[in-house]
Amino acid sequence: MTDNPFQPPSDDANRDTPPIRQRIPKPRPEIAGQLSAFGCLGGALVGTVGFLVLIAAIELLMTPPFKSPPNYGQFGIIVIGVGFYAALFGVCLGIVPYVTWLGYIPVHLLGLWLIWAIDKQFFAEVDWTEAPIVAMFAILALPTPIAVCVNLWVNRYPRIPHMG
């Protein structure tokens, strides 16, 4: 060792190496429960507040190709509906640890088909180039890319052999 305290030591043998942090394995049911809870809250937040912010952004930035509706009418019902559907898709993210994101796609498509079947008259009457409808489609298309990110997050944890 040198006399200068600011000079790094010349030999690596005397250096203490910091301990490597081990990942704590989590069982799939615990991960699935966390994903469902956070997915529900996140979906409700994105489906309500994010929907309104997205509509404002579309109307400010992209109204020449899209258009503003002449009357928002009972717009609150639409916001509540989008928030509800986004929260349901968020709850369904709990299946990603079991079936990966590829298995989530049929669940997402089934959910979109159910939305279409329930609100068929609404979608038949509405102009699909209106800003709220474009924002609704963007919000309802988000769960699959989010499922891909969730799958990458789940794969970071080692599997517990006896728990799945």
Side-chain angles (χ1 to χ4, degrees):
M1 183 112 177
T2 63
D3 295 331
N4 185 355
F6 299 106
Q7 188 175 9
S10 59
D11 58 341
D12 290 336
N14 294 335
R15 257 191 217 179
D16 291 332
T17 58
I20 298 173
R21 234 177 115 186
Q22 297 284 329
R23 281 208 193 274
I24 300 171
K26 288 186 178 183
R28 272 194 231 189
E30 181 182 345
I31 293 173
Q34 289 175 350
L35 286 174
S36 290
F38 287 125
C40 181
L41 294 174
L45 188 65
V46 169
T48 54
V49 177
F51 181 54
L52 296 173
V53 169
L54 188 57
I55 289 171
I58 289 172
E59 287 196 1
L60 288 173
L61 303 174
M62 296 191 279
T63 45
F66 302 116
K67 51 188 164 188
S68 296
N71 180 10
Y72 275 98
Q74 296 180 1
F75 186 66
I77 299 297
I78 295 173
V79 173
I80 291 171
V82 172
F84 174 73
Y85 293 136
L88 283 180
F89 284 134
V91 168
C92 291
L93 286 174
I95 68 167
V96 171
Y98 297 104
V99 297
T100 72
W101 70 272
L102 289 171
Y104 180 79
I105 291 175
V107 172
H108 187 202
L109 292 176
L110 176 68
L112 292 175
W113 180 79
L114 287 173
I115 293 170
W116 172 264
I118 291 170
D119 296 331
K120 195 180 298 186
Q121 182 181 359
F122 171 76
F123 289 116
E125 295 172 357
V126 77
D127 183 8
W128 289 37
T129 60
E130 289 180 357
I133 302 304
V134 172
M136 181 189 318
F137 289 146
I139 295 292
L140 293 178
L142 276 177
T144 296
I146 290 173
V148 172
C149 297
V150 163
N151 189 42
L152 293 174
W153 176 74
V154 167
N155 288 338
R156 289 179 33 201
Y157 290 99
R159 297 274 188 238
I160 299 175
H162 66 285
M163 296 286 290

